[in-house]
Amino acid sequence: MAKLPVEKIRTDVLVIGGGGAGLMAALEARKMGADVTIVSKSKVGRSGNTIIAGTGMAILAPDPDAKDSFEIFRCDTLRSGKGVNDRDLVGLFLEGSPKIIETLISYGVVLRKQGDRWMRKQAPGHSVPRTFTTDFSRYPYLSRGLSLTEPLLASAQKSGVRIVDFAPVIQLLVSDGRVCGAMALNKKTKTIMLFQSKAVILAAGGGGRVYSRSNNTFDITGDAYALAYQAGATLRDMEFVQFYPTMMFSPLKVTISSPLFGEGAFLRNARGERFMGTYDPAGDMATRDIMTRAMFSEVMAGRGDRGNIFMDCRHLSKDMLTAKFAELLRLLAKAGIDPLRDLIPISPATHFFMGGVVIDRTCETPLPGLLACGETVGGLHGANRLGGNALSEMFVFGRIAGRSAAQAALRSAFADVPAVPPDSFGSGDISLPELRQRLRETTWKFLSIVRSREACEQALDELARISDAHRYAKIESVFDLVASYELKSMLTTAALIAKAANQRKESRGAHFRSDHPRTDDERYQGSFYLKKSGAETVFEYRPV
């Protein structure tokens, strides 16, 4: 492959990631007076999981009739996280939550109303209705998150934020122990882009596509974790991967809204039996980790149908379904499904990473010059995330990260960007797509809903074999080079999940070990922190 030309850009604050967290961070940094650039591997505003999100945001909003409080929301979050949440981040999240409504409205986001009041739904795991949604009536149901990202993008462009699309970042640049920029490959201009910046915000999402069964968008491949890890940042809780219970793969692929359970929907197995009450006292309002394992257990016991369990909405009010879930009804109708008549076939899918980069109250990481927000970050959700807390998190911490980065940039000078050539990949005839699929099948087989020591070790052995084969992958274009870096990120992230899952010899939240099925608070009520040390991964356990 021919040598690529180099393009240089200098900016006060560089935001990596074009979804909701990155846009919010960029807007807030720009509001503080910083020169801001967003660089994204896809198109900004259409990158990452925000566009396919159901737009449900759990918010502690002032309302005398809501019967909600800081302490109730805090207890719900800690209970879902199985006691290993970062208490400081939980407090910061709840303090910042009420400001989200007015912040989003100021950027043009329209929230859904019922009469003259904001509409609230109650999702599983929440004690009260506190989930707000946008008015997404103008958008396709499968991309209703555009009702969030389009207004944010328009506001960012209007404020003067520089936008760089289709340029995946392949490396963070570090000088004298401080992050001073990033290197990207621009797929449109076929150039290497060197960004020189005073502060870098990592907001590139999670890693759902590391698994073969996922409801994430195609570009969510663990890039943020791999970039941070390779640069020397500290990560935590990488064993905690959430699997969404209500994904329909056939006759169409769509996430079935979990707030349906709050309206009275429930699960049945292939025999027509309700079963959630035998797994948890909360029944069909149990948290996602419990529901997912219950579904998995029913299928493994032969009570599933081609891997599926069923959601039953047939007893619900037609008026309620039409008022609150009209778009989902229309989409299901196109596939020949009427929830008032038919059971909805569903099965689990990889959904969200609770683990990620370590941050403090200002969203700064232990690696100077690097900040992070959104799903890239670990700690807030503990061992399992409550539905609706992800979008709220990315806006609360995106706001903090943007302001912190701007403040740091405006009092700092630019550091010299080191001359770092891109990795050289061997030229062979092995197919990158085949290696990618092999990796994704490995993680689903060994590192998904049920793990064990043996499974973690088998996963690491297979990942090592894929990594060896990667050296002989066929690379003939910039697009192949981008795919090769993406595979490298996926391999790094998958290995971190396997190593972290092997460290935690208990079952807690979304992490279930068949060889250690009990929760062990005496030994494991805390977090495993990890970082790179030479060619090794070093772990440190810290109790809550």
Side-chain angles (χ1 to χ4, degrees):
M1 216 185 93
K3 188 175 180 180
L4 300 177
V6 176
E7 179 184 358
K8 296 182 180 180
I9 293 178
R10 176 182 276 202
T11 184
D12 290 336
V13 175
L14 177 67
V15 179
I16 301 172
L23 282 164
M24 178 61 76
L27 280 162
E28 293 295 310
R30 184 69 186 132
K31 190 188 291 183
M32 298 284 288
D35 175 56
V36 181
T37 300
I38 299 179
V39 58
S40 173
K41 72 186 293 188
S42 300
K43 190 170 179 60
V44 174
R46 291 178 175 267
S47 177
N49 283 333
T50 311
I51 64 166
I52 61 168
T55 78
M57 297 168 281
I59 296 174
L60 181 61
D63 186 337
D65 298 327
K67 297 184 175 61
D68 203 359
S69 70
F70 182 99
E71 190 56 29
I72 293 172
F73 199 168
R74 178 179 179 275
C75 287
D76 286 348
T77 301
L78 294 179
R79 182 168 54 249
S80 177
K82 309 304 177 189
V84 293
N85 315 64
D86 186 310
R87 267 57 169 180
D88 206 28
L89 294 184
V90 171
L92 194 62
F93 168 67
L94 295 175
E95 290 164 11
S97 167
K99 303 176 188 139
I100 290 305
I101 289 179
E102 64 178 84
T103 302
L104 290 173
I105 290 172
S106 74
Y107 290 133
V109 175
V110 180
L111 297 181
R112 197 171 181 187
K113 284 191 170 184
Q114 197 166 23
D116 60 351
R117 307 183 71 178
W118 307 119
M119 180 184 286
R120 300 170 191 246
K121 298 179 182 178
Q122 183 170 352
H126 291 274
S127 298
V128 298
R130 60 167 73 100
T131 301
F132 295 72
T133 60
T134 61
D135 179 356
F136 50 78
S137 56
R138 296 189 300 110
Y139 298 90
Y141 184 79
L142 294 179
S143 55
R144 56 200 186 276
L146 289 170
S147 59
L148 286 164
T149 58
E150 278 196 351
L152 294 177
L153 175 59
S155 294
Q157 290 170 325
K158 186 176 180 181
S159 71
V161 172
R162 184 186 293 108
I163 304 292
V164 181
D165 297 318
F166 303 111
V169 171
I170 58 174
Q171 187 175 344
L172 296 176
L173 301 178
V174 181
S175 178
D176 295 326
R178 183 179 185 84
V179 174
C180 60
M183 180 166 59
L185 289 173
N186 192 310
K187 292 191 287 186
K188 289 195 296 185
T189 61
K190 296 181 175 57
T191 59
I192 295 171
M193 302 189 76
L194 289 180
F195 294 93
Q196 183 183 27
S197 62
K198 299 175 184 177
V200 174
I201 301 175
L202 200 49
R209 280 281 166 174
V210 169
Y211 288 86
S212 60
R213 293 177 71 85
S214 173
N215 61 8
N216 285 199
T217 53
F218 288 103
D219 52 356
I220 298 299
T221 52
D223 304 342
Y225 310 129
L227 288 169
Y229 176 77
Q230 296 295 346
T234 304
L235 284 75
R236 63 184 292 177
D237 302 323
M238 289 300 291
E239 66 272 30
F240 295 132
V241 179
Q242 186 177 73
F243 301 92
Y244 195 88
T246 55
M247 183 74 185
M248 185 166 73
F249 285 93
S250 180
L252 78 160
K253 187 175 180 181
V254 60
T255 301
I256 305 298
S257 181
S258 61
L260 278 164
F261 291 114
E263 302 294 342
F266 50 78
L267 296 180
R268 291 186 186 275
N269 60 27
R271 297 176 182 175
E273 301 163 335
R274 293 186 65 176
F275 59 86
M276 279 304 303
T278 64
Y279 291 92
D280 191 272
D284 295 276
M285 289 296 285
T287 51
R288 289 172 175 173
D289 57 321
I290 295 170
M291 184 174 284
T292 299
R293 280 199 302 278
M295 294 170 69
F296 182 83
S297 297
E298 290 294 302
V299 170
M300 294 303 292
R303 296 188 289 272
D305 178 21
R306 290 169 292 181
N308 290 323
I309 293 297
F310 300 94
M311 180 188 280
D312 193 345
C313 301
R314 296 174 297 181
H315 57 291
L316 301 184
S317 158
K318 181 178 180 179
D319 290 341
M320 181 280 296
L321 287 173
T322 303
K324 295 186 177 181
F325 303 96
E327 291 298 324
L328 177 59
L329 291 185
R330 281 195 284 271
L331 196 65
L332 291 175
K334 290 180 181 179
I337 296 175
D338 178 1
L340 293 169
R341 182 194 66 211
D342 305 315
L343 294 172
I344 304 173
I346 55 174
S347 65
T350 314
H351 184 59
F352 188 88
F353 279 44
M354 277 74 69
V357 180
V358 172
I359 60 167
D360 62 15
R361 290 181 62 87
T362 65
C363 288
E364 294 182 68
T365 75
L367 184 60
L370 181 66
L371 301 91
C373 58
E375 193 177 348
T376 294
V377 168
L380 170 65
H381 307 292
N384 183 59
R385 176 178 67 79
L386 273 178
N389 277 11
L391 293 185
S392 305
E393 173 196 20
M394 74 182 186
F395 293 134
V396 169
F397 290 96
R399 190 169 180 265
I400 294 170
R403 291 174 171 233
S404 299
Q407 289 170 350
L410 294 173
R411 63 172 182 260
S412 304
F414 285 101
D416 291 333
V417 173
V420 182
D423 286 354
S424 58
F425 294 101
S427 183
D429 58 1
I430 294 178
S431 163
L432 280 166
E434 287 180 12
L435 290 178
R436 177 188 174 106
Q437 186 58 27
R438 189 170 143 194
L439 179 152
R440 297 179 71 222
E441 289 172 356
T442 297
T443 52
W444 185 257
K445 181 177 180 181
F446 297 116
L447 302 173
S448 60
I449 298 166
V450 176
R451 291 98 174 256
S452 66
R453 179 188 62 79
E454 182 182 9
C456 292
E457 291 174 354
Q458 286 179 296
L460 287 169
D461 287 344
E462 178 62 8
L463 292 171
R465 287 189 285 270
I466 297 169
S467 185
D468 287 341
H470 183 205
R471 292 183 296 165
Y472 305 101
K474 187 175 183 178
I475 298 173
E476 297 181 323
S477 68
V478 171
F479 299 99
D480 291 338
L481 191 57
V482 167
S484 190
Y485 272 103
E486 190 169 79
L487 179 61
K488 181 182 176 184
S489 292
M490 294 171 77
L491 283 163
T492 299
T493 299
L496 294 180
I497 296 168
K499 291 174 183 178
N502 210 15
Q503 289 285 322
R504 185 173 288 277
K505 297 174 179 63
E506 65 155 359
S507 293
R508 185 182 296 269
H511 169 72
F512 184 79
R513 288 273 300 254
S514 58
D515 50 349
H516 295 283
R518 297 183 182 278
T519 299
D520 186 348
D521 282 336
E522 188 173 329
R523 295 177 61 202
Y524 292 111
Q525 191 166 359
S527 291
F528 283 99
Y529 291 70
L530 63 91
K531 67 182 302 183
K532 190 173 186 286
S533 177
E536 301 298 318
T537 303
V538 178
F539 283 87
E540 178 190 354
Y541 173 74
R542 301 180 197 174
V544 170

